[in-house]
Amino acid sequence: FKLSKDYFMGMEDLKVMELNFFHIEFAVSWPGQMLRSLRTLCLDNCYLGAGMSSMLGQMMQLETLSLFKSKIQDDQFPAEIAWPRNLKLLDLRVESSLHPLPSGILSSLKKLEELYLGSGDHLRLGRDKEEEKRCLKEISSISNLACLQIALYDLSLLLLSLQEFDTQRLSRFDIAVANHERAMENLSKNYQFRKSFKLYLSGHGDEWLKQLFDPNVTSIVKRTENLTLYLSDQSSCLRNLVPDLGENGFINLKKLCLDDGQYECLVDSTANLVARHVFENLVSMELKFLKLKEICNGFLPPGCFRQLQEVRLRELSALEYLWKGSVKPPSLCNLISIEVEYCHKITTFFSQSALKCLVKLQRIDVYKCENLERIVLSEESLTEEVLVLPQFKALSLRMTKFIGFGPKD
């Protein structure tokens, strides 16, 4: 419909307006007093036609503007977005835009606290590479910025945007470097994310691994709560996550997903460089399509995986066991479920000492682990102890060589 000034006669004090799933054509001109009191404007999932700039140019008191999943079809990008000096939240996760976001807009939003930019596949930053770089640099000039969502296609662009940016001031972030398909997954209306960082590195070998260890990247990694790493270049190997990538032990991490790539282990405690707190707050761990030799090389650090509740493993071609050797509480004491698929080298899951920690384990699901014979590996010092899983409810085994649960069954 055509959004005319007549719709708002007598509504000069209107503070909030939400119009979703509309095809909107805007009036060419707006009376000076119309919608000047508006504080919040949500035009989500809309087709936004010509004239949007003239309407936005009147909303000088605007504090929140959302154009989530809308199509901007105006004959120019609405630069008037930069006019409201009190704008605190700007959501530009649009479905598409005929024109790119020009430089100069982001740097004008001095009071902006939350910025959602989506991905370049939907909204291009700048008309060319140079202007794109200027737009990214402008992000660091927003002194009040506390929440940032952005998906880029090149890790070097992320490093550029972080050069003069203190990530410590971000209380929330959802940052991704991804290819087209992966970036689409990040386009979701989720204002409740905390600290999420996703890297999908493919085909750039050691060059991208060097960028991964850039201090600006590791500063984000240390603070993230939801970490996804997709490293599909099989010519490069990341030795471990701790201590090499996360020297602080990933103390803030709650969800970990490793998808593709080569790792010797997740935790290497043999060099005595491991932090005191390693994966202590991790709740969910998903490892898939990896060449991973072992989860921990050496002793499991005290308290490691103390909050872990779920483990999902799929197609780990080199892994022979989950936890081997001595494990002491509180490690693994909150683990509830384990799912393992297509891990053909696994023969056993746990040592007996690890089993003693699994007081909350409820289910184990195993599919097509062709060499799995037992769940528990015998330890000479514990051979006489009775194995007890007080909350265990279900064991599902399909296509394995299962002989028995424990060393003596």
Side-chain angles (χ1 to χ4, degrees), residues 148-167:
L148 173 65
Q149 181 281 320
I150 189 172
L152 299 169
Y153 296 101
D154 191 333
L155 188 54
S156 62
L157 290 177
L158 176 62
L159 294 176
L160 177 68
S161 65
L162 296 177
Q163 276 182 354
E164 300 176 5
F165 189 83
D166 181 11
T167 58

mmCIF file of all heavy atoms in Angstrom, residues 148-167:
data_model
loop_
_atom_site.group_PDB
_atom_site.id
_atom_site.type_symbol
_atom_site.label_atom_id
_atom_site.label_comp_id
_atom_site.label_asym_id
_atom_site.label_seq_id
_atom_site.Cartn_x
_atom_site.Cartn_y
_atom_site.Cartn_z
ATOM 1 N N LEU A 148 27.499 -5.984 18.316
ATOM 2 C CA LEU A 148 27.813 -5.984 16.889
ATOM 3 C C LEU A 148 27.514 -7.334 16.274
ATOM 4 O O LEU A 148 27.928 -8.375 16.801
ATOM 5 C CB LEU A 148 29.301 -5.648 16.672
ATOM 6 C CG LEU A 148 29.825 -5.767 15.232
ATOM 7 C CD1 LEU A 148 29.150 -4.747 14.320
ATOM 8 C CD2 LEU A 148 31.342 -5.608 15.193
ATOM 9 N N GLN A 149 26.776 -7.317 15.163
ATOM 10 C CA GLN A 149 26.568 -8.521 14.347
ATOM 11 C C GLN A 149 27.022 -8.205 12.935
ATOM 12 O O GLN A 149 26.607 -7.210 12.337
ATOM 13 C CB GLN A 149 25.096 -8.943 14.353
ATOM 14 C CG GLN A 149 24.792 -10.207 13.548
ATOM 15 C CD GLN A 149 24.712 -9.963 12.032
ATOM 16 O OE1 GLN A 149 24.166 -8.959 11.596
ATOM 17 N NE2 GLN A 149 25.260 -10.874 11.255
ATOM 18 N N ILE A 150 27.900 -9.062 12.396
ATOM 19 C CA ILE A 150 28.390 -8.869 11.036
ATOM 20 C C ILE A 150 28.880 -10.207 10.494
ATOM 21 O O ILE A 150 29.421 -11.031 11.239
ATOM 22 C CB ILE A 150 29.518 -7.807 10.990
ATOM 23 C CG1 ILE A 150 29.858 -7.455 9.552
ATOM 24 C CG2 ILE A 150 30.733 -8.262 11.764
ATOM 25 C CD1 ILE A 150 30.812 -6.275 9.420
ATOM 26 N N ALA A 151 28.664 -10.441 9.202
ATOM 27 C CA ALA A 151 29.174 -11.638 8.518
ATOM 28 C C ALA A 151 29.957 -11.181 7.299
ATOM 29 O O ALA A 151 29.412 -10.485 6.432
ATOM 30 C CB ALA A 151 28.026 -12.560 8.112
ATOM 31 N N LEU A 152 31.231 -11.554 7.256
ATOM 32 C CA LEU A 152 32.114 -11.155 6.166
ATOM 33 C C LEU A 152 32.589 -12.394 5.411
ATOM 34 O O LEU A 152 32.467 -13.523 5.894
ATOM 35 C CB LEU A 152 33.314 -10.380 6.712
ATOM 36 C CG LEU A 152 32.988 -9.072 7.455
ATOM 37 C CD1 LEU A 152 34.212 -8.550 8.182
ATOM 38 C CD2 LEU A 152 32.450 -8.027 6.491
ATOM 39 N N TYR A 153 33.179 -12.162 4.230
ATOM 40 C CA TYR A 153 33.629 -13.276 3.400
ATOM 41 C C TYR A 153 35.146 -13.378 3.332
ATOM 42 O O TYR A 153 35.672 -14.221 2.622
ATOM 43 C CB TYR A 153 33.067 -13.116 1.981
ATOM 44 C CG TYR A 153 31.567 -13.201 1.946
ATOM 45 C CD1 TYR A 153 30.791 -12.059 1.869
ATOM 46 C CD2 TYR A 153 30.925 -14.430 2.025
ATOM 47 C CE1 TYR A 153 29.410 -12.129 1.858
ATOM 48 C CE2 TYR A 153 29.555 -14.515 2.015
ATOM 49 C CZ TYR A 153 28.800 -13.359 1.932
ATOM 50 O OH TYR A 153 27.434 -13.437 1.937
ATOM 51 N N ASP A 154 35.832 -12.544 4.077
ATOM 52 C CA ASP A 154 37.284 -12.526 4.025
ATOM 53 C C ASP A 154 37.808 -12.167 5.413
ATOM 54 O O ASP A 154 37.431 -11.139 5.976
ATOM 55 C CB ASP A 154 37.764 -11.500 2.988
ATOM 56 C CG ASP A 154 39.254 -11.616 2.695
ATOM 57 O OD1 ASP A 154 39.998 -12.070 3.588
ATOM 58 O OD2 ASP A 154 39.666 -11.244 1.586
ATOM 59 N N LEU A 155 38.657 -13.024 5.963
ATOM 60 C CA LEU A 155 39.169 -12.784 7.303
ATOM 61 C C LEU A 155 40.002 -11.511 7.363
ATOM 62 O O LEU A 155 40.045 -10.827 8.391
ATOM 63 C CB LEU A 155 40.011 -13.980 7.757
ATOM 64 C CG LEU A 155 40.475 -14.001 9.217
ATOM 65 C CD1 LEU A 155 39.303 -13.835 10.169
ATOM 66 C CD2 LEU A 155 41.232 -15.278 9.506
ATOM 67 N N SER A 156 40.671 -11.152 6.258
ATOM 68 C CA SER A 156 41.470 -9.920 6.247
ATOM 69 C C SER A 156 40.585 -8.690 6.418
ATOM 70 O O SER A 156 41.014 -7.691 7.002
ATOM 71 C CB SER A 156 42.267 -9.821 4.941
ATOM 72 O OG SER A 156 41.408 -9.765 3.811
ATOM 73 N N LEU A 157 39.332 -8.751 5.935
ATOM 74 C CA LEU A 157 38.411 -7.629 6.130
ATOM 75 C C LEU A 157 38.023 -7.498 7.601
ATOM 76 O O LEU A 157 37.869 -6.392 8.122
ATOM 77 C CB LEU A 157 37.161 -7.813 5.277
ATOM 78 C CG LEU A 157 37.335 -7.666 3.765
ATOM 79 C CD1 LEU A 157 36.030 -7.951 3.050
ATOM 80 C CD2 LEU A 157 37.833 -6.274 3.413
ATOM 81 N N LEU A 158 37.864 -8.637 8.269
ATOM 82 C CA LEU A 158 37.567 -8.590 9.694
ATOM 83 C C LEU A 158 38.728 -7.970 10.455
ATOM 84 O O LEU A 158 38.531 -7.124 11.335
ATOM 85 C CB LEU A 158 37.285 -9.998 10.221
ATOM 86 C CG LEU A 158 37.055 -10.109 11.740
ATOM 87 C CD1 LEU A 158 35.832 -9.318 12.159
ATOM 88 C CD2 LEU A 158 36.936 -11.561 12.155
ATOM 89 N N LEU A 159 39.934 -8.375 10.104
ATOM 90 C CA LEU A 159 41.111 -7.808 10.768
ATOM 91 C C LEU A 159 41.193 -6.306 10.538
ATOM 92 O O LEU A 159 41.586 -5.547 11.432
ATOM 93 C CB LEU A 159 42.375 -8.495 10.246
ATOM 94 C CG LEU A 159 42.512 -9.981 10.600
ATOM 95 C CD1 LEU A 159 43.752 -10.562 9.945
ATOM 96 C CD2 LEU A 159 42.563 -10.175 12.103
ATOM 97 N N LEU A 160 40.809 -5.879 9.332
ATOM 98 C CA LEU A 160 40.815 -4.455 9.025
ATOM 99 C C LEU A 160 39.854 -3.694 9.922
ATOM 100 O O LEU A 160 40.172 -2.630 10.457
ATOM 101 C CB LEU A 160 40.450 -4.242 7.552
ATOM 102 C CG LEU A 160 40.348 -2.789 7.075
ATOM 103 C CD1 LEU A 160 41.727 -2.139 7.085
ATOM 104 C CD2 LEU A 160 39.740 -2.727 5.682
ATOM 105 N N SER A 161 38.664 -4.242 10.106
ATOM 106 C CA SER A 161 37.653 -3.557 10.926
ATOM 107 C C SER A 161 38.019 -3.560 12.406
ATOM 108 O O SER A 161 37.502 -2.745 13.178
ATOM 109 C CB SER A 161 36.283 -4.215 10.722
ATOM 110 O OG SER A 161 36.285 -5.547 11.193
ATOM 111 N N LEU A 162 38.901 -4.476 12.816
ATOM 112 C CA LEU A 162 39.257 -4.581 14.228
ATOM 113 C C LEU A 162 40.559 -3.869 14.582
ATOM 114 O O LEU A 162 40.955 -3.849 15.748
ATOM 115 C CB LEU A 162 39.389 -6.065 14.617
ATOM 116 C CG LEU A 162 38.125 -6.923 14.535
ATOM 117 C CD1 LEU A 162 38.448 -8.359 14.874
ATOM 118 C CD2 LEU A 162 37.034 -6.388 15.439
ATOM 119 N N GLN A 163 41.216 -3.281 13.594
ATOM 120 C CA GLN A 163 42.524 -2.679 13.823
ATOM 121 C C GLN A 163 42.524 -1.671 14.959
ATOM 122 O O GLN A 163 43.418 -1.653 15.797
ATOM 123 C CB GLN A 163 43.027 -2.014 12.537
ATOM 124 C CG GLN A 163 43.723 -2.968 11.587
ATOM 125 C CD GLN A 163 44.255 -2.259 10.360
ATOM 126 O OE1 GLN A 163 44.019 -1.074 10.164
ATOM 127 N NE2 GLN A 163 44.953 -2.986 9.508
ATOM 128 N N GLU A 164 41.523 -0.804 14.970
ATOM 129 C CA GLU A 164 41.462 0.249 15.989
ATOM 130 C C GLU A 164 40.232 0.081 16.879
ATOM 131 O O GLU A 164 39.738 1.045 17.452
ATOM 132 C CB GLU A 164 41.442 1.624 15.311
ATOM 133 C CG GLU A 164 42.668 1.885 14.446
ATOM 134 C CD GLU A 164 42.580 3.212 13.718
ATOM 135 O OE1 GLU A 164 41.615 3.956 13.956
ATOM 136 O OE2 GLU A 164 43.478 3.500 12.911
ATOM 137 N N PHE A 165 39.777 -1.148 16.993
ATOM 138 C CA PHE A 165 38.539 -1.402 17.728
ATOM 139 C C PHE A 165 38.844 -2.208 18.979
ATOM 140 O O PHE A 165 39.473 -3.269 18.917
ATOM 141 C CB PHE A 165 37.564 -2.178 16.833
ATOM 142 C CG PHE A 165 36.182 -2.304 17.409
ATOM 143 C CD1 PHE A 165 35.277 -1.272 17.267
ATOM 144 C CD2 PHE A 165 35.797 -3.440 18.090
ATOM 145 C CE1 PHE A 165 33.997 -1.377 17.796
ATOM 146 C CE2 PHE A 165 34.527 -3.551 18.617
ATOM 147 C CZ PHE A 165 33.623 -2.518 18.474
ATOM 148 N N ASP A 166 38.409 -1.730 20.112
ATOM 149 C CA ASP A 166 38.595 -2.433 21.374
ATOM 150 C C ASP A 166 37.422 -3.386 21.590
ATOM 151 O O ASP A 166 36.339 -2.976 22.008
ATOM 152 C CB ASP A 166 38.686 -1.433 22.530
ATOM 153 C CG ASP A 166 38.917 -2.116 23.868
ATOM 154 O OD1 ASP A 166 39.211 -3.328 23.866
ATOM 155 O OD2 ASP A 166 38.790 -1.445 24.911
ATOM 156 N N THR A 167 37.635 -4.653 21.300
ATOM 157 C CA THR A 167 36.549 -5.631 21.407
ATOM 158 C C THR A 167 36.108 -5.838 22.854
ATOM 159 O O THR A 167 35.031 -6.391 23.089
ATOM 160 C CB THR A 167 36.975 -6.979 20.811
ATOM 161 O OG1 THR A 167 38.162 -7.447 21.494
ATOM 162 C CG2 THR A 167 37.291 -6.837 19.331
#
